[in-house]
Amino acid sequence: MSSPLLQVSNLKKHFPIKGGVFGKQFGTVRAVDGLTFTVYKGETLGLVGESGCGKSTTGKLLLRLHEPTAGEILFENENILTFSQEKMRKVRRQMQMVFQDPYASLNPRHNVEKILEEPLIVHGIGTKEERKKRVKHMLEVVGLSSYHAKRYPHQFSGGQRQRIGIARALMTHPKLIIADEPVSALDVSIQSQVLNLLQDLQKEYDLTYIFIAHDLSVVRHISDRVGVMYLGHIVEVAESEAVYKNPLHPYTKALLSAVPIPDPTYQKERVVLKGDLPSPSNPPRGCAFHTRCSECMDICKEEKPQLQQLEHGHYVACHLYME
Ligand code: SF4
């Protein structure tokens, strides 16, 4: 395995719930609650979980678009949480984000040239001529044409708009791309084209990806390793094949049982999750998954299981595997 690019330790983001005339705090939403993981150079780490499990908040925390409540984020061995605004602005050049809804993330009043040029202007990169040249080049790299530069976002299909979003993320030569559900707003027929493009770009530009999704089948297509999130923390992380062939955590098994397999002779047991995801403002004691787990034991209601390595590179947080 290559060296770490990003190391996240015990990352937390708690949002206060305020109300009343005096805006008094009466609760806390624990959107991210003790997240620990490492992303190695050149790999794709998939982060999956149901909506509301803290995946998207995690993406924003990594770029410091939200300030974490606690924890540490090392990017190339430096804790970016100690960086000044100015230093952080420079680091963001290396860490870019691709958003779920390409239409909402592109300014409808700007043409594509202006949209793509903007990150270069913000970071003071290149002359006007150099910037225009790079815009044209990046449009071609993502499968569009230089004549698209003068068009506006509404003149493109969803897939083309996501290609523009990807081109914008690549303008500053980043090392890390955080892709937050980048294909979930697209037709299934277009999804694989965008996933293939992301894979091609990864090889060509030596990129590292964090790929956030709610759908394990999408993540499988692109990830080297997969981390499964539940209520703000990781419950299982392993190489992609290990997660799919030998899932250990009951939540991972339930998520996987809902993924269709294109083989009619293969019968698998469907695990139906009981109830809804509990509120992150009032997470269950002990194992946060115990209210929905069919294998829940007494200890699960009292003690939070810690993430521990069971096999090489395969970590799970579940009392079933504790000695
Ligand atoms: Fe289920 Fe207990 Fe494991 Fe949690 S710790 S997933 S409740 S068996």
Side-chain angles (χ1 to χ4, degrees):
M1 199 166 275
S2 56
S3 53
L5 181 66
L6 188 79
Q7 292 161 280
V8 176
S9 309
N10 203 20
L11 189 66
K12 294 185 183 177
K13 179 64 188 176
H14 297 171
F15 293 101
I17 310 172
K18 292 184 176 172
V21 182
F22 301 107
K24 202 174 155 210
Q25 181 173 344
F26 60 87
T28 304
V29 174
R30 298 166 179 272
V32 173
D33 203 21
L35 197 61
T36 298
F37 62 90
T38 300
V39 189
Y40 297 92
K41 281 181 188 158
E43 77 161 343
T44 299
L45 174 74
L47 281 183
V48 280
E50 290 163 281
S51 131
C53 74
K55 311 178 296 279
S56 296
T57 306
T58 302
K60 292 185 179 125
L61 289 173
L62 298 180
L63 289 176
R64 283 184 67 189
L65 300 176
H66 287 321
E67 282 303 322
T69 309
E72 194 175 71
I73 302 172
L74 301 186
F75 181 73
E76 298 194 307
N77 296 320
E78 285 192 278
N79 186 0
I80 61 169
L81 298 184
T82 62
F83 285 6
S84 64
Q85 294 266 0
E86 180 53 24
K87 201 165 173 194
M88 195 58 220
R89 201 174 61 83
K90 287 187 184 143
V91 172
R92 283 207 189 95
R93 196 175 150 173
Q94 311 285 338
M95 306 162 83
Q96 291 286 322
M97 197 148 182
V98 174
F99 296 93
Q100 174 180 5
D101 182 350
Y103 197 55
S105 68
L106 303 176
N107 188 333
R109 284 187 298 250
H110 290 174
N111 66 20
V112 170
E113 183 174 81
K114 196 158 182 197
I115 289 169
L116 296 188
E117 209 187 354
E118 194 185 357
L120 300 180
I121 294 171
V122 168
H123 292 286
I125 301 170
T127 62
K128 198 166 177 52
E129 274 320 298
E130 285 164 345
R131 291 197 297 264
K132 285 197 187 321
K133 213 168 142 192
R134 181 145 177 86
V135 166
K136 285 185 179 156
H137 173 68
M138 285 318 299
L139 281 172
E140 278 158 18
V141 164
V142 298
L144 297 169
S145 299
S146 51
Y147 65 79
H148 285 125
K150 296 293 173 197
R151 296 195 182 165
Y152 287 80
H154 72 270
Q155 295 175 290
F156 293 92
S157 68
Q160 287 174 320
R161 283 199 288 262
Q162 195 53 295
R163 286 172 191 268
I164 296 166
I166 293 167
R168 180 179 56 183
L170 290 177
M171 289 301 286
T172 58
H173 296 287
K175 293 180 179 164
L176 176 69
I177 299 271
I178 299 161
D180 185 6
E181 303 256 12
V183 297
S184 53
L186 305 177
D187 287 351
V188 178
S189 58
I190 307 295
Q191 286 187 358
S192 59
Q193 293 174 14
V194 173
L195 291 175
N196 290 339
L197 171 67
L198 285 168
Q199 284 180 312
D200 292 345
L201 294 171
Q202 183 171 37
K203 281 188 214 128
E204 194 170 337
Y205 294 101
D206 208 11
L207 295 166
T208 302
Y209 289 148
I210 295 177
F211 193 98
I212 296 170
H214 65 275
D215 183 345
L216 266 168
S217 57
V218 169
V219 169
R220 180 181 199 169
H221 191 85
I222 194 160
S223 304
D224 298 299
R225 291 188 306 129
V226 172
V228 178
M229 282 184 73
Y230 190 79
L231 278 186
H233 59 278
I234 286 184
V235 295
E236 182 163 5
V237 62
E239 285 188 6
S240 191
E241 276 308 291
V243 168
Y244 287 89
K245 288 199 175 135
N246 182 29
L248 297 175
H249 196 281
Y251 179 58
T252 313
K253 290 180 188 173
L255 284 184
L256 267 174
S257 80
V259 173
I261 292 180
D263 178 358
T265 61
Y266 182 80
Q267 299 282 320
K268 64 174 176 177
E269 194 191 340
R270 177 84 204 263
V271 185
V272 180
L273 279 175
K274 292 186 281 178
D276 295 325
L277 188 74
S279 167
S281 63
N282 187 21
R285 270 185 76 153
C287 170
F289 185 58
H290 86 254
T291 52
R292 303 167 83 192
C293 180
S294 57
E295 302 189 59
C296 178
M297 304 170 288
D298 286 344
I299 188 176
C300 307
K301 296 175 189 165
E302 299 299 329
E303 235 178 78
K304 184 174 177 173
Q306 300 303 316
L307 202 62
Q308 59 172 5
Q309 184 167 210
L310 287 195
E311 292 159 20
H312 176 69
H314 195 152
Y315 294 79
V316 66
C318 174
H319 288 301
L320 287 174
Y321 305 97
M322 297 219 171
E323 285 164 6

